[in-house]
């Protein structure tokens, strides 16, 4: 994913935390932890004015990766026909392709995953998206589709 930790919507994250059963003081604590944050940058001795941080999880914190995982943990549910392996913002979706229908099923899962990711502001990084084909077959299965641009 592309700058995934920066794109986490605070509102949607708090909603996800409620879905996990966080209530009362602990939910208020998370809300406080995410709100009223400011950031500024210093380059060659010149410091920018502080700006409000309206999205993202604090990187370099212990909670940042955990909050990201809670935010995006529903995405693997969009993959119904293939296998999926995830680690933070790195995802692999794979399937053995023995027929054209297998290729269609894999494409359906890829599309579903991309759409669901986009719905929570997590965009796939097209530069990092790769296809790996491992085969001993002399004749590969031809499969043509209109791939959506993931940028």
């Amino acid at each position: 994913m592309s700058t995934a930790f920066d794109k986490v919507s605070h509102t949607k994250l708090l909603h996800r935390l409620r879905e996990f059963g966080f209530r009362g003081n602990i939910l208020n604590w998370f809300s406080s932890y995410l709100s009223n944050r400011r950031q500024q940058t210093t380059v060659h001795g010149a410091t920018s004015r502080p700006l409000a941080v309206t999205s993202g999880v604090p990187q370099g914190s212990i909670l940042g990766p955990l909050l990201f995982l809670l935010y995006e943990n529903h995405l693997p549910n969009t993959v119904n026909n293939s296998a999926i392996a995830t680690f933070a913002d790195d995802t692999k979706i794979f399937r053995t392709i023995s027929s054209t229908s297998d290729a269609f099923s894999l494409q359906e899962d890829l599309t579903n995953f991309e759409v669901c990711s986009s719905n929570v502001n997590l965009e796939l990084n097209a530069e990092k998206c790769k296809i790996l084909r491992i085969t001993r077959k002399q004749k590969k299965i031809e499969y043509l589709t209109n791939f959506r641009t993931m940028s």
Side-chain angles (χ1 to χ4, degrees):
M1 296 188 182
S2 184
T3 61
F5 284 75
D6 295 330
K7 300 225 176 145
V8 172
S9 160
H10 292 169
T11 303
K12 290 179 182 179
L13 174 57
L14 291 170
H15 177 75
R16 295 284 297 144
L17 291 172
R18 273 187 224 93
E19 288 177 343
F20 279 103
F22 289 88
R23 301 277 189 275
N25 286 340
I26 191 71
L27 187 62
N28 291 338
W29 184 87
F30 278 114
S31 179
S32 175
Y33 179 71
L34 295 169
S35 63
N36 298 319
R37 297 181 81 87
R38 303 183 76 65
Q39 68 183 14
Q40 62 189 81
T41 304
T42 301
V43 178
H44 300 297
T47 302
S48 68
R49 63 183 173 87
L51 295 174
V53 176
T54 58
S55 66
V57 293
Q59 295 180 43
S61 70
I62 293 172
L63 284 178
L66 176 63
L67 290 172
F68 178 79
L69 291 174
L70 292 172
Y71 182 74
E72 61 87 49
N73 90 320
H74 67 291
L75 295 177
N77 297 339
T78 64
V79 176
N80 300 311
N81 306 302
S82 307
I84 185 168
T86 62
F87 181 76
D89 62 343
D90 188 21
T91 303
K92 289 159 185 52
I93 300 173
F94 51 97
R95 178 182 176 91
T96 299
I97 306 295
S98 301
S99 66
T100 304
S101 66
D102 289 337
F104 277 109
S105 293
L106 176 59
Q107 183 59 52
E108 179 182 324
D109 285 337
L110 291 168
T111 301
N112 288 343
F113 187 84
E114 188 223 353
V115 168
C116 190
S117 295
S118 291
N119 288 342
V120 292
N121 301 332
L122 299 176
E123 302 298 327
L124 300 186
N125 185 338
E127 297 292 316
K128 291 184 178 179
C129 292
K130 306 291 181 209
I131 297 172
L132 174 64
R133 179 180 297 203
I134 302 172
T135 184
R136 290 184 182 176
K137 294 180 180 180
Q138 296 297 318
K139 183 180 177 193
K140 66 182 181 181
I141 296 170
E142 294 299 327
Y143 171 70
L144 299 175
T145 186
N146 294 331
F147 289 102
R148 278 179 36 160
T149 303
M150 292 190 239
S151 56

